[in-house]
Amino acid sequence: MLIKFESRSARVKGLSFHSKRPWILASLHNGHIQLWDYRICTLLEKFDEHDGPVRGIDFHQQQPLFVSGGDDYKIKIWNYKLKRCLFTLLGHLDYIRTTFFHHEYPWILSSSDDQTIRIWNWQSRSCISVLTGHNHYVMCANFHPSEDLIVSASLDQTVRVWDISGLRKKNVAPGTMSSGISDIGTRNPNQVELFGQADAFVKHVLEGHDRGVNWANFHPTLSLIVSAADDRMVKLWRMNDSKAWEVDTCRGHYNNVCCCLFHARQEIIMTCSEDKSIRIWDLSKRTCLQTFRRDHDRYWVLSVHPTLNIFAAGHDGGLLIFKLERERPAFAVNGNLLYYVKERYIRMLDFTNSKDTAVVQIRGSKHNVHSMSYNAAENAVLLTTRLQNQDNCYYEMYQLPRDYDSSNPDTVDGKRSPGVTAIWVARNRFAVLDKSHTILLKSSKNELIKKISLSNVQEIFYAGTGMLLLKDQDTISLFDVQQKRNLAQVKMNKVRYAIWSSDMQYLALLSKQEVGLFNRKLELQCQVRENIRIKSGAWEASGVFVYTTSNHIKYSLLNGDHGIIRTLDLPIYLTRVSGDSVFCLDRECRARVLKIDSTEYKFKLALVNRRYDEVLHMVRNAKLVGQSIISYLQKKGYPEVALHFVKDEKTRFLLALESGNLEVSLHAAKQIDEKVCWERLGEMGLMQGNHQIVEMSYQRTKNYDKLAFLYLITGNLEKLQKMMKIAEIRKDCSSQYLAALMLGDIPERVKVLKQSGQRSLAYLTAQTHGMVEDAENIKSGFAENERIPDVYPKAVVLVPPPPIQSQDHNWPLLTVDGGFFDKAVSKASALSSLGGGLDKNVGAMAIIEGDDDGGAGWESDVDIVLDDEEETFQDAKQNDEDGWAVDELELPPELDIGANVGSAGESGYFVLPTRGQPPNQFWTNNSQLAVDHIMAGSFDTAMRLLQNQVGIVKFDELKPLFLSTYGRSRTAIISSPSLPSNIGYPQRNIKEVNARNSLPAVSLTLPNLFLRLQSAYQLTTSGKFVDAINKFRDILLSVPLLCVDSRQEIAEAQQLIEICKEYIVGLEMEVARKELPKNNIEDMLRVCEMAAYFTNCNLQNIHLILTLRTALNLFVKIKNFKTAAVFARRLLELGPKAEIAQQTRKILAACEKNLTDAHKLDYDEHNPFDICPLTFKPIYKGKAVIKCPLSGASYLPEMKGQICRVTRCTEIGKDCIGLRISSLQFR
């Protein structure tokens, strides 16, 4: 069983695949209906109008409809586009077990515990027939896929076959199309014509089960029926027009069998049972082929996709979607030839002429070939077959004939041997990974040459002659088979395929949802993550890696640029990419050639490699369209390139502004003629000193104040006077007075002040500037009781200085040469014979003035000038006599100590023995674990190890842990008061090795940390969040100081880190939320967001209930009833106490009356996200993220290099080798 998707939910009672889209409907025992996209593993929608369990569910094959039936006696028709129930069919008097659409007519078939089967017309919304005859619950009823038959199963221990041809004749109008869109009238149920048959009658009654029958199903093509019952048996029945009889019984289940179905393409039967198993039966032999069990969940229902080879099963804890076997074809590429296995033949496809021939016929097997390896020198292939039990895996070696008859290929017997993987590594050598994870090197005669024992090798891949790629749990190693050593290593999890470029210089490693591109030395070039499964890949000749996902063909350059080439209806497996053609195999093992548009990635590749002539050719001739190309050029700093082929005026305007091209910007602004564009153009013109464009922009936007100031600073007094007149016409006294002030026009200022009623200011202005007559006229207008202002006797007349020279021309700019593209366009415009490849709208405005010789910008990168004189470096001359000459040193006689310096026995004095070394001095040499170095007292090396392994850069938090660990490294035994204590060094491997190879006994163990975890849980439950945070952090920082002995304990330690991280982030966020102000609605919305984020932390159920209650109350207060209803349902699914559940149901009922949100929050419960511990903001799936190397906490990329808030000691985004707490991780 290959599980493709699995979800956790309440018990699943019904399943239905969509015929076209990657969707599945699941009806649950709690009354909900879930719509899942199983390709991207996302819950799309929930429907919950049923009251009680929903058992029947089915998609319509053409219309956007599905039908459901539940324990509330209701059949509901839903439209999944409108996301609501259209109408309800009433008539059944008890639980409804199954509901199915007819494949051709607008009918719905339902079975019920009221012992009846009903056929409904969903267009007229009425029941057109009631089938009675069963005398117990009818558990299932199914239409025949092609004939006018129905099969039903009941707890009365019978299976009945019903003929409904009469119903079809009466209710279906002549000429009705198969889509079922004509208006079909209704007839009375069970109406009998005078000389005719009934609408529906029982054709066969199948008796043979000893207990109630739960399910019955027709074979899609044969006259067979399969039934499953509570007597734990699965029976196969055959029928014809006159009778039906039992063929055989399949026994093996040891509890009630709930569901059964036929495989559409293979001769097998699939059943599920309450004994927690799914069984696969051979249809011809009626024997059990495979059994798949769960530990705790009973299976209830099965479903098969109408066209694809996938199945679904519903159980107590949710649903799973699976395949029975791998559908990826086995193939190998050698030059222009593709070898692949189809059915029982090895076939060869020539890429040059697309000739496909059968080479040989191989031994038949019911299992698919997993992989193929081809040896061109020996013309031999290795075929590996993998089974569920690795002990039964094997490989076969076939010698392919040089001459063969493609119409009648010979049958060849291969040499079969056990092995998990077999790969050619030399001309006459191949490597085999056996079941004990040992690499066997064998000759072309299948004879063992040598064994290479390595630990934890899970898979091997080809890496060139004499080389292998070894995969363990999280690393890939480049291994030299002859020297038996690793040459390079890279960390990448769960690698599935390794694909080399044709020159073996680059490697692509594919995991489930990740592509990593590396060079020959396994140095990472780039990494691409996908949201769906990656299927295959192939290198293009220019160094572009093309790969396929479930629904796309994509590409990736070595610098990390990637994109989509085209979409796919069904998955394919790439074998070769050549130009605009993609050679591939589909799941039916058919060789196909797809046409692709490679312009986009070739354009990017040429731009990256600075091949500007190719870029220019594509700009002129290729149809480069789309915002993705434009945004790519902007991102890479080439907006001027995009400017040459973009036709949309708004986009051209933005690109011209970014590249500083005012002429093109002006032309685009005139075409768009929007205020925002003119404002931005004015800003850019002011930055470049082009006051003519600035003037035009201010005039178009009617920004008179800025325009007047522009005239002032450019000395254009004539236009400034016009601005003063315009202000007078507009009756804008403020602008008019300001212009008069800037012009030094005193009479105009007096006039403006008089018109605006400011007589005192007008009098002062006139009197101060010597306008006596005007001042007297103003003075005469004052009333007797009004005070006439006094003139300041020392006032000085201030008049703006007149400009010496007005600025008629733009500010001078440095003249620069045009770039490669500008010069090319200029030449194309000058020489009409060359034709035009550019848009006419660009015109002369796109050409920057300058000489055609020389080159700035890109040109400097194109023209590479070499010096005439070559600078040579010569090696130093070697002299055999003078090279590394070391003279012999002779000691003088007074320093000669003779030859017998060490003979103590002869000289008659005693030599003290050399003092031994304590064991802890050997610990640092014997181990690479940080805890061993700490216990040895070597804190500096321990710090370096922790820095390299988990990125710890601040050790203040670890000081108490270091000291306590060091204190546990030795024992002190008091011998007598006058003597020092005897120091002992406990060792964990004292029985195995001597003192020089000893290792310290580590007292800190995983069970100790789990005990501390329980106390941290208690602190969390009691609401002591600060103490709980410190406790969780102490546990987390203690994990790198562990020493464990098994892979399981390593996994448990990683799980412990994840638990601590989730609680620290959640509790830190809760503490911060409580400290936030709640003065206005913005503060309240932020509080609600943080409460909602807290509910998405992976906590224990008791703590999750508390977080959901908090979020529920807050969201009800701000009237976000739709999201509050989601929290309420999640809370009820956790099974809280009775009083809490009762209160939550009341709130849920109130929210469902108005399923709307009053405020929009940054929270999407359907889109998975991580919480940034520094900002407490969500980082949704698909966005760029960096992680803490120890805790795994996710952060935004701009926070790289900061200290992690979770650990308070690790550097965010630091490149580390990972947690190391066991010697197993260094082997």
Side-chain angles (χ1 to χ4, degrees), residues 534-749:
I534 297 170
K535 294 295 183 181
S536 65
W539 287 92
E540 205 256 353
S542 59
V544 178
F545 184 69
V546 180
Y547 63 97
T548 62
T549 63
S550 299
N551 52 1
H552 286 108
I553 300 179
K554 297 188 175 184
Y555 69 88
S556 176
L557 307 186
L558 290 171
N559 67 343
D561 295 332
H562 59 279
I564 297 175
I565 297 176
R566 61 170 288 179
T567 58
L568 297 171
D569 295 329
L570 294 173
I572 59 171
Y573 303 92
L574 300 184
T575 56
R576 167 73 66 86
V577 180
S578 177
D580 292 339
S581 298
V582 167
F583 297 87
C584 59
L585 297 172
D586 60 15
R587 285 179 166 172
E588 304 296 330
C589 265
R590 292 175 299 199
R592 298 172 59 188
V593 182
L594 301 180
K595 291 297 180 182
I596 61 171
D597 184 2
S598 60
T599 307
E600 181 178 328
Y601 69 74
K602 287 182 177 178
F603 177 81
K604 292 182 179 180
L605 188 65
L607 203 60
V608 169
N609 294 334
R610 298 181 180 274
R611 297 197 297 265
Y612 300 123
D613 50 346
E614 295 182 22
V615 175
L616 180 62
H617 178 75
M618 292 183 189
V619 167
R620 286 175 169 170
N621 302 307
K623 295 180 180 179
L624 286 166
V625 294
Q627 292 297 324
S628 60
I629 287 290
I630 298 169
S631 61
Y632 174 81
L633 291 169
Q634 286 180 289
K635 179 182 176 182
K636 295 298 181 181
Y638 301 127
E640 65 275 13
V641 181
L643 192 60
H644 288 292
F645 61 89
V646 174
K647 297 181 180 180
D648 179 66
E649 292 297 343
K650 285 190 176 181
T651 309
R652 286 176 58 78
F653 176 77
L654 295 174
L655 290 171
L657 281 185
E658 190 172 344
S659 58
N661 194 328
L662 282 180
E663 288 82 0
V664 178
S665 302
L666 177 61
H667 183 273
K670 288 179 179 179
Q671 298 294 324
I672 301 168
D673 198 19
E674 292 181 358
K675 183 178 180 180
V676 177
C677 294
W678 286 112
E679 288 176 349
R680 295 193 60 179
L681 180 62
E683 293 175 3
M684 179 58 68
L686 201 59
M687 290 175 62
Q688 293 193 12
N690 194 324
H691 62 80
Q692 296 172 351
I693 289 180
V694 177
E695 179 184 0
M696 182 186 296
S697 302
Y698 290 165
Q699 288 174 352
R700 293 296 183 98
T701 57
K702 297 181 180 180
N703 197 332
Y704 299 111
D705 293 337
K706 288 186 176 180
L707 193 58
F709 186 73
L710 177 69
Y711 292 148
L712 174 67
I713 62 175
T714 56
N716 199 332
L717 300 184
E718 182 181 352
K719 290 185 178 181
L720 187 56
Q721 287 176 349
K722 291 182 180 180
M723 291 301 302
M724 186 173 66
K725 297 298 182 183
I726 292 172
E728 183 178 1
I729 295 171
R730 291 169 47 235
K731 296 181 180 180
D732 187 353
C733 297
S734 178
S735 298
Q736 185 182 356
Y737 183 82
L738 184 63
L741 194 64
M742 290 188 291
L743 286 168
D745 192 342
I746 300 167
E748 187 70 22
R749 286 159 56 191

Side-chain angles (χ1 to χ4, degrees), residues 814-1092:
L814 179 65
T815 302
V816 296
D817 293 331
F820 181 87
F821 288 93
D822 294 316
K823 293 172 64 178
V825 173
S826 176
K827 291 177 182 178
S829 302
L831 303 174
S832 58
S833 61
L834 296 179
L838 296 175
D839 181 18
K840 293 181 181 179
N841 291 333
V842 177
M845 294 183 181
I847 303 173
I848 299 175
E849 296 181 359
D851 297 333
D852 287 340
D853 298 331
W858 290 0
E859 183 103 358
S860 61
D861 295 326
V862 178
D863 299 329
I864 301 174
V865 181
L866 298 177
D867 295 334
D868 295 331
E869 297 181 2
E870 294 185 358
E871 188 175 356
T872 58
F873 296 90
Q874 298 180 357
D875 294 336
K877 294 182 178 179
Q878 294 184 359
N879 190 321
D880 293 338
E881 298 178 359
D882 301 334
W884 289 93
V886 180
D887 297 328
E888 295 290 339
L889 179 63
E890 295 183 4
L891 292 175
E894 63 271 13
L895 295 180
D896 192 2
I897 58 173
N900 299 325
V901 66
S903 55
E906 297 177 3
S907 57
Y909 59 86
F910 175 73
V911 178
L912 288 172
T914 306
R915 183 180 178 181
Q917 294 181 339
N920 63 343
Q921 295 191 14
F922 300 106
W923 294 347
T924 55
N925 298 327
N926 298 338
S927 174
Q928 299 183 51
L929 299 181
V931 64
D932 292 336
H933 288 245
I934 295 171
M935 300 189 83
S938 180
F939 287 5
D940 53 345
T941 57
M943 290 178 182
R944 283 197 296 271
L945 286 173
L946 290 174
Q947 185 175 4
N948 294 333
Q949 292 171 5
V950 291
I952 298 177
V953 294
K954 285 184 64 179
F955 288 90
D956 298 342
E957 295 283 338
L958 277 80
K959 182 178 179 180
L961 295 175
F962 270 46
L963 295 177
S964 61
T965 302
Y966 178 67
R968 293 192 295 264
S969 66
R970 64 202 64 215
T971 61
I973 303 174
I974 300 176
S975 55
S976 65
S978 60
L979 294 176
S981 301
N982 292 324
I983 303 300
Y985 298 92
Q987 300 172 19
R988 64 175 181 264
N989 58 346
I990 192 169
K991 295 181 179 180
E992 302 173 6
V993 295
N994 56 29
R996 288 186 172 274
N997 295 327
S998 65
L999 292 171
V1002 181
S1003 59
L1004 182 65
T1005 61
L1006 265 178
N1008 294 339
L1009 294 184
F1010 280 115
L1011 286 177
R1012 294 192 206 173
L1013 185 65
Q1014 298 304 319
S1015 62
Y1017 284 156
Q1018 294 172 4
L1019 289 171
T1020 306
T1021 307
S1022 58
K1024 299 177 181 178
F1025 292 160
V1026 176
D1027 295 339
I1029 291 170
N1030 294 332
K1031 196 77 172 177
F1032 281 115
R1033 185 173 289 115
D1034 181 66
I1035 297 170
L1036 192 152
L1037 296 180
S1038 298
V1039 172
L1041 307 184
L1042 287 173
C1043 178
V1044 298
D1045 299 325
S1046 66
R1047 292 281 180 187
Q1048 181 180 355
E1049 288 179 312
I1050 296 173
E1052 290 174 356
Q1054 295 280 10
Q1055 183 182 4
L1056 185 60
I1057 291 177
E1058 179 69 19
I1059 292 171
C1060 293
K1061 183 261 293 184
E1062 291 288 332
Y1063 270 89
I1064 293 172
V1065 172
L1067 295 178
E1068 290 266 20
M1069 183 166 56
E1070 183 67 5
V1071 171
R1073 183 186 70 82
K1074 292 184 176 182
E1075 294 174 353
L1076 286 178
K1078 302 176 181 64
N1079 302 328
N1080 50 41
I1081 186 63
E1082 287 77 11
D1083 295 339
M1084 283 300 300
L1085 294 183
R1086 177 56 180 160
V1087 168
C1088 292
E1089 283 180 351
M1090 294 175 71

